Amino acid sequence: MTQLIDTSAVPDVVLEAGRLFEAAGHDLSLVGGPVRDLFLGRLATDLDFTTDATPDQTLAVVKGWADAVWEIGRDFGTIGMRRGDMQLEITTYRAEAYDPTSRKPTVAFGTELAEDLVRRDFTVNAMALRLPSLELVDLHGGVRDLHAKILRTPGTPESSFDDDPLRMMRAARFASQLGMDVAPEVLTAMTEMAARLEIVSAERVRDELVKLINGIDPRRGVEIMVDTGLAQIVLPEVPALKLETDSAHHHKDVYQHSLTVMEQAAGHESADGPVPGPDFPLRFAALMHDVGKPATRRFNDDGGVTFRHHDVVGAKITRKRMKALRFDNDTIKTVTRLVELHMRFYGYGEAGWTDSAVRRYVRDAGDQVERLHLLTRSDVTTRNKRKSQRLAHAYDDLERRIAELAEQEELAAVRPDLDGQQIMEVLGIGPSRTVGQAYNFLLELRLDEGSLGQEEATARLLSWWEDQQQGSQTGE
């Protein structure tokens, strides 16, 4: 299929690169995602090209034109560069395949554009724009499939996934990112070959997972992973949420509930709000918030079911999984904290909280309080409108009280009225475990009663110290 694309939609740097390679006697084509995005009306800032030039020849062509060049992908035929605000990667035509026992692709350079395109992951990414003529090369129906919103592979799905098993996960990611359906034959191959994903490095899997969760339809992406068995390799805790039921015991479908919470959490994000989207920690915490339920499920004699401490257990399970996927420590800490605290709000509507309980809620959430607000609200999926409204009103009230107390004090950084140095001066002691005990005593006072002022705090500290000394003398 040959088609011309309006040159006004193509960045100037693309045409410049095309003319440079043409003058040097080499072919150059824009390829993959940037071509797909031209049809979707999106402008890519990271541009992928393919060429018949070797890496050494590419370096010679762009010398003096590129503002910066890096050769980290040279062994795979890729030369990266920056021109103005644009990032470019130019890769020699290639034939790429996975050794069945290796996590890294073996690369053989090709000589023809057609040979390169057939080895791309999906037809919508197997289109090329020859440069500088802007002739569209679409040998596998990429435009057709893009309009139909369906994911197919240029060759057989089996050969594509054998070349790179991560492409199976990428199919689920594109379903989430682009709102596309996966062709039946592709789903069949994914199901049959899911175990091949085990040879892919944790880092590559993690990166695809983040993109999937941050897509416009993360629920669809997760469902595809679960239905094909990919999730059993990547996130086995999620399919485990499909708790079995029987005629004697009935409880909420935890798997579907978790998907709905993730959807609702994404819907709460806003560009001008405290949690702009897409926000991976919020969405992933929403997906994982109940993963502790299978391990904590207990049936009562009356047919009821409980999941005591599933929040704490779930946080531990989530931390272990995220470490296995090589997430950074800050992201692990954020997500697991949200999972651990997601049940803290419940009970507020019935019993109400003291000011000290509100302070503890904010203190424990720390800098994640805004995400916790959204996660807690997203966790309400009941169809009972009265219950839903009651919970919403209760949380409205909690947020109002947090705001009121925040006007009086810096809740997110609640500290005692005396610091460690002052404690040592008042008690006439040096650094020791006793200083920490005194600090915790004053912190509890601060949470229960608010700021006492240094004079009152000093008096309370001395009284506590006297009690401690009397207790040690009597052996208590």
Side-chain angles (χ1 to χ4, degrees), residues 104 187 465:
K104 295 183 179 181
L187 287 173
W465 180 237

Side-chain angles (χ1 to χ4, degrees), residues 52-102:
D52 62 349
T54 65
D56 284 342
Q57 291 170 331
T58 293
L59 287 170
V61 172
V62 302
K63 184 178 181 181
W65 178 77
D67 298 326
V69 175
W70 48 93
E71 302 180 38
I72 191 170
R74 185 189 182 105
D75 290 345
F76 298 99
T78 299
I79 300 298
M81 64 198 72
R82 177 175 55 81
R83 170 76 172 177
D85 296 331
M86 309 295 277
Q87 304 283 342
L88 293 73
E89 285 194 350
I90 301 179
T91 303
T92 305
Y93 294 150
R94 60 189 179 183
E96 188 170 289
Y98 258 86
D99 182 294
T101 61
S102 173

Side-chain angles (χ1 to χ4, degrees), residues 321-334:
R321 177 56 51 196
M322 293 184 74
K323 284 185 176 180
L325 289 171
R326 304 290 194 271
F327 277 94
D328 63 275
N329 290 333
D330 286 344
T331 304
I332 294 174
K333 182 179 178 181
T334 296

Side-chain angles (χ1 to χ4, degrees), residues 217-243:
D217 191 0
R219 182 183 193 127
R220 179 63 179 139
V222 173
E223 286 177 332
I224 289 173
M225 287 188 61
V226 170
D227 293 345
T228 58
L230 293 174
Q232 195 61 45
I233 308 298
V234 179
L235 284 176
E237 298 80 8
V238 173
L241 293 173
K242 291 186 171 184
L243 302 175

Side-chain angles (χ1 to χ4, degrees), residues 73-78 94-109 119 160-167 170 196 199-201 204:
R74 185 189 182 105
D75 290 345
F76 298 99
T78 299
R94 60 189 179 183
E96 188 170 289
Y98 258 86
D99 182 294
T101 61
S102 173
R103 292 187 173 194
K104 295 183 179 181
T106 56
V107 176
F109 295 150
R119 294 188 176 277
S160 180
F161 300 152
D162 201 48
D163 276 352
D164 186 351
L166 189 66
R167 290 174 175 176
R170 199 172 293 154
R196 286 275 287 147
I199 73 168
V200 182
S201 69
R204 295 184 73 211

Side-chain angles (χ1 to χ4, degrees), residues 30 34 68 77 83 127 147 155 213 220 243 283 310 369 423 427 434 449 471 473:
L30 187 69
R83 170 76 172 177
M127 298 181 287
H147 286 308
I213 297 297
R220 179 63 179 139
L243 302 175
R283 295 182 181 200
H310 77 272
V369 67
I423 289 172
L427 301 182
T434 301
E449 302 181 34
Q473 291 174 359

Side-chain angles (χ1 to χ4, degrees), residues 120-123 140 145 151-158 160-161 185-186:
R120 299 272 163 176
D121 53 4
F122 302 104
T123 60
H140 306 286
D145 290 344
L151 280 174
R152 302 183 191 276
T153 53
T156 67
E158 291 79 9
S160 180
F161 300 152
E185 69 274 13
V186 177

Side-chain angles (χ1 to χ4, degrees), residues 155-417:
T156 67
E158 291 79 9
S159 63
S160 180
F161 300 152
D162 201 48
D163 276 352
D164 186 351
L166 189 66
R167 290 174 175 176
M168 294 184 286
M169 196 169 170
R170 199 172 293 154
R173 188 249 288 186
F174 282 130
S176 169
Q177 277 190 329
L178 303 177
M180 303 185 75
D181 292 324
V182 183
E185 69 274 13
V186 177
L187 287 173
T188 297
M190 291 166 65
T191 304
E192 294 174 350
M193 301 177 67
R196 286 275 287 147
L197 192 61
E198 291 178 344
I199 73 168
V200 182
S201 69
E203 291 82 1
R204 295 184 73 211
V205 169
R206 174 202 63 208
D207 291 346
E208 286 296 325
L209 178 64
V210 170
K211 293 174 183 176
L212 184 156
I213 297 297
N214 282 347
I216 60 174
D217 191 0
R219 182 183 193 127
R220 179 63 179 139
V222 173
E223 286 177 332
I224 289 173
M225 287 188 61
V226 170
D227 293 345
T228 58
L230 293 174
Q232 195 61 45
I233 308 298
V234 179
L235 284 176
E237 298 80 8
V238 173
L241 293 173
K242 291 186 171 184
L243 302 175
E244 69 276 7
T245 59
D246 56 43
S247 58
H249 302 101
H250 301 281
H251 53 79
K252 184 184 297 181
D253 184 328
V254 184
Y255 170 65
Q256 291 297 330
H257 164 74
S258 298
L259 294 179
T260 299
V261 174
M262 179 177 61
E263 273 188 317
Q264 295 185 164
H268 283 309
E269 300 165 346
S270 60
D272 56 351
V275 183
D279 187 78
F280 176 79
L282 172 62
R283 295 182 181 200
F284 196 58
L287 177 64
M288 302 291 282
H289 77 285
D290 276 347
V291 295
K293 282 191 171 180
T296 58
R297 183 176 56 160
R298 300 292 183 271
F299 292 115
N300 300 327
D301 293 338
D302 61 2
V305 63
T306 64
F307 302 97
R308 289 190 179 92
H309 306 303
H310 77 272
D311 43 359
V312 177
V313 173
K316 292 179 180 178
I317 292 172
T318 301
R319 180 179 292 108
K320 183 178 180 180
R321 177 56 51 196
M322 293 184 74
K323 284 185 176 180
L325 289 171
R326 304 290 194 271
F327 277 94
D328 63 275
N329 290 333
D330 286 344
T331 304
I332 294 174
K333 182 179 178 181
T334 296
V335 173
T336 55
R337 194 64 173 152
L338 292 170
V339 172
E340 184 179 5
L341 293 176
H342 83 272
M343 290 295 293
R344 185 69 65 87
F345 160 74
Y346 293 96
Y348 176 84
E350 287 79 7
W353 284 358
T354 62
D355 285 351
S356 63
V358 175
R359 292 188 189 98
R360 283 187 173 86
Y361 183 80
V362 177
R363 183 196 67 175
D364 290 347
D367 58 1
Q368 299 308 316
V369 67
E370 296 294 348
R371 284 191 175 108
L372 184 58
H373 286 335
L374 299 189
L375 176 59
T376 302
R377 288 186 180 278
S378 302
D379 197 18
V380 179
T381 61
T382 178
R383 296 181 180 178
N384 185 321
K385 290 186 177 180
R386 291 183 63 185
K387 181 178 180 182
S388 177
Q389 291 174 350
R390 175 168 51 80
L391 289 170
H393 290 323
Y395 207 85
D396 287 343
D397 184 62
L398 174 59
E399 286 193 319
R400 176 187 58 78
R401 290 184 62 195
I402 290 173
E404 289 176 352
L405 285 172
E407 290 181 1
Q408 304 169 20
E409 52 190 310
E410 187 65 29
L411 276 182
V414 173
R415 293 181 176 84
D417 293 292

